[in-house]
Amino acid sequence: MRKSVFAIVLVTAICGALPARAQEGAAPFDADLQRLAEILGTLHYLRGICGANEGAKWRNEMQALIDAETPSGERRARMIAGFNRGYNGFQQTYRVCTPAANVAIRRYIEEGAKISRDLTARYAN
């Protein structure tokens, strides 16, 4: 599981290495970043109700992603909306930790790790 979490954190470092854009238009990897933001929001909620005692770890990972990518305007709003969508979507579904919530956590960590690996392979220098 640490390996998967490491892969998610790795994307934060990658975003800092991505080429700067002259305009604030959509980047080819924006859909992946928005999905990753949604996953981070989901993990922030689910890990909290499942007693992981991680505090603001996943929110901090989201902040690090935003800090590394430095989006502004609409791009920033979409990333934040993705995080909130992930958090709120599961907040409406799960009030307590269940076996299904634990399965969801594992799947989202795996998906986040895959997105991170794919971004690394495609866009890192």
Side-chain angles (χ1 to χ4, degrees):
M1 188 161 180
R2 287 190 185 270
K3 189 175 182 182
S4 297
V5 172
F6 174 73
I8 291 173
V9 173
L10 182 61
V11 80
T12 304
I14 293 164
C15 290
L18 295 174
R21 289 171 300 283
Q23 300 178 29
E24 191 55 36
F29 47 83
D30 274 358
D32 290 330
L33 290 181
Q34 288 175 33
R35 180 62 182 150
L36 187 57
E38 189 171 341
I39 289 169
L40 292 172
T42 298
L43 291 172
H44 182 63
Y45 179 73
L46 288 178
R47 296 285 290 173
I49 66 166
C50 287
N53 295 323
E54 296 171 329
K57 174 183 179 171
W58 299 102
R59 181 177 300 196
N60 293 340
E61 293 297 334
M62 179 64 191
Q63 186 62 54
L65 182 62
I66 288 173
D67 291 346
E69 180 59 18
T70 62
S72 62
E74 187 61 32
R75 285 185 75 232
R76 180 182 177 87
R78 284 191 307 265
M79 287 179 71
I80 293 169
F83 181 90
N84 291 336
R85 186 173 44 255
Y87 186 93
N88 293 330
F90 280 87
Q91 185 181 39
Q92 294 173 8
T93 305
Y94 294 97
R95 300 286 183 206
V96 296
C97 189
T98 65
N102 281 312
V103 169
I105 289 168
R106 282 193 306 275
R107 289 182 179 168
Y108 281 107
I109 287 175
E110 289 170 8
E111 183 182 353
K114 181 182 183 322
I115 291 169
S116 297
R117 284 190 307 272
D118 292 349
L119 286 171
T120 302
R122 189 163 188 184
Y123 297 104
N125 294 335

